[in-house]
Structure formats: C-alpha cells, structure tokens
Amino acid sequence: MNAYEYFRAAFAARDKEVFLEDETGSVYAYADLDRETAQVASFLTGLGLRPGDRVAAQIEKSPQGLFLYLGTLRAGLCYLPLNTAYQRGEIAYFLGDAEPSVFVCDPARAGGYEEVARASKVTHLLTLGARGEGTLADGLAGAPLRFDTRPVGTNDLAVIIYTSGTTGRSKGAMVTHGNLTSNAAVLKDYWGFTGRDVLIHALPVFHVHGLFVAVHPILLAGARILFHRKFDARAVLAALPRATSLMGVPTFYVRLLAEPGLTQDAVRGMRLFVSGSAPLLLDTFSEWQARTGHTILERYGMSEAGMITSNPYEGERRGGTVGFPLPGVELRIAGADDAPLPVGEPGAVQIRGPNVFSGYWRMPDKTREEFTSDGWFRTGDVGQWSEDGYLSIVGRAKDLIISGGYNVYPKEIELVIDAIPGVMESAVVGVPHPDFGEAVTAVIVKQQGATLTEEAVVAHVRGEIAGFKVPKRVFFVDELPRNAMGKVQKALLRDKFSG
Ligand code: MCA
Ligand code: AMP
C-alpha cells in the first residue's frame, strides 16, 4: 500500500483534530493535511512526472515542506530531502546522481542553483520559502484539491536518503513504501502513541529522524505536532507543559539540562523522552533522571533501516544501551566470518527485516558489499549483547564522526583539505565535545615552506561543504602517525587532540 494511504486510513477518522500547530500560530487539521497533499500530488502529476520520478528538496523547515514530502509519496513519486547546510558543490553531486525531475529550493538560493539544475536532468526548478512562499505555492494555487492516491507496491521506491560514505562519495539509500509503513506501525505501538499525544517536533526534516520517526507514528495515531522550526532549548522548555513527548538527538538533552527552568514541574505532563542518532552519554541519561524524574528512552537506527532497536516503553530503560531489536527486526552480532558471536563478545551489528532498505541508488556493487551472502545488512556499527538481551553500541567499524546527530565521514573532509595549496596530507578525526558529542578535528601536515593557518583552512573548507562538517579545530603536525601497513593511526590522533 502507498505509505500515504496507509497513514490516511489511520487518521481519516480524526479529520477535524489538529495535526500540526506551527510556531507562527498557524494550525492545520488532519483534513487540511489531506487537502494540501492532494494539491501537491495533483500538481506534480500535472507536470508530467511518472511513478518513481524524483522530487528533490532543499528547503527550510515549514508545514508546506512536510506537505510536499507527503504529497510526493501520495503521487507515487520519490522524495529526495537535502540538508539545508549543503553547499552548491554538494547539491550538484546529488542532482547529478539522483537525476530528479523537480528540484525545490529556497527562493534566496534559486539564482545560484540555476546552472547546476540546468547541468542535471532537472526540468522544473521551483522555490519554497519558510513562510510557504515561492513558485511552488503559485503552482499549487491552481491545482485540484482532490487526488486519488496512486497505488504502489511494498517494494516501490518512496524516498532516497543520501548518506555519506567511507570513500567520500555519498550513497543514496533507497527506502521503500514497505520500509516506511512497517517501521511506523512498530514505533507507534512500541512507544505507545495515541490520539492524546502531543509531540514537540524540533528536528530537521531532511533526515530520517525528523522526517520519518517524528512524523509517521504521529500520523498513525492521529496525534498532534507542536512544530518548532529549529531546536531552541528555551522554546522547547516553554512548550513542555502542553506536550506529552519529545524526540531529539543527545545535544537537545545536553542543552535542555543547561536550562535552570528544567524541573520536575516543567515536565509534569510529559510521558516520553526519546533520544537517538548518536550515543547518549550515561552522564546525560543520569542527570536527566535526577532532574526530571523521567528516564530517557534511547533507541538506535540508521538511514538504511529506520529504527532498529529501542529500550522498552514498559520495563527497564537501561542507560548506555539501545535496548532490544524492535518487533520484526532480526539482529545478530557477527564475527569476521559473518557467523554469530557468543553473548558478551563485541562484533559487527547485522540486521534483517521489513525496515531494511532495498539498496544504494545505482550502486549495485556497493549494495552487494553491504549485505552478507545470507541477506543480512552490515550496519558498520560494533555492538555487544548483555546476558539479558540489551544491545550496546560499543564502536563503529566505519570511519565515521557523529556531530550533534549529523554524520560526517572524515574522507570527504580530507579530500577537501588535501586540495588546499600548501597541504601535504591530512587526517580528520572526531574528538569528544560537550555539546555536539564529537567535534570534527583536522590534523594537517604542511608542504615544506607553506604558511597555512588554522583560519585559512577553516575559511577554505567552509566555502566548499556544509557548516556542520567544517573542522572546529585544525592542528598542524610534522607527520601523521602510521602503523606498519602505512595506515594512519587515527586513535592516536584522537587521544592526542582530545580536550
Ligand atoms: C550546527 N552546527 C554544527 C551542528 N549543527 N556543528 C557541528 N555539528 C552539528 N550538528 C554549526 C553550524 O554550522 C554553525 O556553525 C553553528 O553550529 C550554528 O548553526 P545552527 O544551525 O544555529 O546550530 P544549532 O541550531 O545549534 O544546531 C545544533 C543542533 C542541530 C540543534 C544539534 O545540529 C540538529 O538539529 N541536529 C539534529 C541532526 C539530526 O536530525 N540527525 C538525524 C540524522 P558556523 O556558525 O560556524 O557556520 S538521521 C539518523 O541519524 C538516524 C536515522 C537516527 O538514528 O536517527
Ligand atoms: P545515519 O547514517 O545518519 O542514519 O546515522 C546512522 C548511525 O548513527 C548508525 O549507524 C549509528 O552509528 C549511529 N546511531 C544512531 N543511533 C544511535 C545510538 N542511539 N547510539 C549510538 N549510535 C547511534
């Protein structure tokens, strides 16, 4: 079933209930959501887009952006969300690789994107601003308000989510309608969402956490979203008395704990705090418990598989663990030969289930590499079982930094830094950071006689890639530590530059 139709079947009986309250004061009922998405679907279909065609969007967070996503699903088209921090070079790669027919961007950026859009297969460059303004709105104004949701198969493509890779080249994870519906149903039940719930939504809507996890279970429950355009600790604090639930990355919880107004009284109406996308420090988990009387529920997921494990809603939520495999998800901890390891031994986390994506867009070799011969997906995370079945993520086999919930692959930054005149070579590592969990840190060997400074490197990198990938610090060394095989010993660099 089309994922939109699946959600609609669940919320149809709650037509007049509020779906979303925007920070601006605008309120949308479920009937509004249905009408707005019908208009989007009619409009996109009217442009001549065929099932499976891609609609890319790099837009500020807005209710209209959410309608664009859900309307795209409804039309049987494929949505391609892009982080607003991405710079032109990054966007050019995504448009070239995914070949969307439609690209929706912020009105202020349209001029700068005309050339990259022309160089790709984009036939319609449209705009959508934070207040809903732009050429998309103009187009929607004349579109029919009714649309028969286009039927699709479980394995049909719904969304492509780009995730960067160890080679520095991003891969498009192909997420199907079946992936979306199965995960949504499980989360709604596992986390106990009902029509009485009010979720504070302060996550970006271009990644799985904010776009799927914090929206789909709400739709299935016919619950309400308090829509925050971006995370602001004080605004979230002010909204807590009206809410029942919050989903966030660990940085949300760290910043909320820094607010003196976070008290047991402030959270008295809340029933659920969920954390994910990055490891939640035990200190944050314990401090939250002591201050609020609530135990954060930590879960584990990834773009390729939505949510994989979760601490229980009822029962012990154990800090430092990500709980149990969600219903329908199989998870094994495997050794180098892909055979399961005994309980307690750390190994590769491999998974199977209806939540697992269908492969990387136009990268059949990469897809084959990431699945075992017996069909398990290699997450690249290192995990460990406890005797009583809780999973802990104890490391990563992939060379990945997670900063404030965003993934940063060192290779991508190293390639940009190595191209700076005066750089001989570089290594990028993540070091512990009190706010972001890990901070992107660059270690550089200069060419002889080069007069590079930290400021110059940062300024150069900032022009090329998204701000969250820019190193927070740059250090210069005479040489990089290497092992006998010639591989840079990143663990040594992490230790040396921590703190
Ligand atoms: C912003 N900046 C960052 C980050 N965010 N630097 C490092 N890491 C970050 N995460 C930088 C900007 O480039 C800018 O730097 C400065 O901080 C201020 O930018 P601003 O946008 O105002 O930052 P913020 O509002 O303080 O943002 C922090 C944040 C945000 C609220 C933690 O990063 C965020 O919403 N993170 C959530 C990410 C997320 O949704 N991940 C889910 C991925 P300058 O001024 O120098 O330019 S999906 C996933 O991982 C899986 C499926 C899962 O399990 O969920
Ligand atoms: P992404 O590719 O952006 O979807 O990020 C997925 C990765 O985030 C996973 O493979 C993990 O490495 C990491 N991750 C997500 N949730 C958690 C968690 N609760 N604890 C530790 N790592 C996590």
Side-chain angles (χ1 to χ4, degrees), residues 285-364:
F285 176 87
S286 308
E287 212 184 317
W288 191 270
Q289 232 169 10
R291 272 276 280 287
T292 67
H294 279 268
T295 306
I296 297 176
L297 181 155
E298 185 172 8
R299 62 30 169 212
Y300 157 66
M302 66 188 300
S303 302
E304 286 90 336
M307 296 301 99
I308 301 165
T309 73
S310 171
N311 269 281
Y313 184 66
E314 308 280 359
E316 186 198 354
R317 299 177 197 163
R318 194 173 295 170
T321 83
V322 292
F324 311 114
L326 284 163
V329 179
E330 293 175 88
L331 190 150
R332 72 183 185 191
I333 304 291
D337 56 356
D338 291 332
L341 294 170
V343 168
E345 269 190 49
V349 175
Q350 301 182 347
I351 54 171
R352 223 160 49 166
N355 56 319
V356 178
F357 76 135
S358 64
Y360 293 110
W361 172 257
R362 292 181 182 163
M363 288 189 182

Side-chain angles (χ1 to χ4, degrees), residues 163 275-280 298-304 322 379 381 393 396 398 400 402 405 407:
T163 72
S275 175
S277 303
L280 182 72
E298 185 172 8
R299 62 30 169 212
Y300 157 66
M302 66 188 300
S303 302
E304 286 90 336
V322 292
T379 62
D381 292 308
I393 303 296
R396 294 173 205 139
K398 50 197 176 191
L400 165 71
I402 304 185
N407 287 9

Side-chain angles (χ1 to χ4, degrees), residues 85 202-204 206-210 213 230-231 249 251-252 255 276-278 299-304 306-307 402-407 435-436 438 440 462 466-470 472:
L203 288 156
F206 37 69
H207 288 306
V208 164
H209 198 165
V213 186
K230 61 181 296 200
F231 177 77
V249 295
T251 302
F252 283 21
R255 290 189 186 177
S277 303
R299 62 30 169 212
Y300 157 66
M302 66 188 300
S303 302
E304 286 90 336
M307 296 301 99
I402 304 185
S403 170
Y406 287 139
N407 287 9
D435 185 34
F436 292 127
E438 287 184 284
V440 176
R462 193 183 290 286
F468 64 86
K469 300 178 191 170
V470 175
K472 300 288 180 217

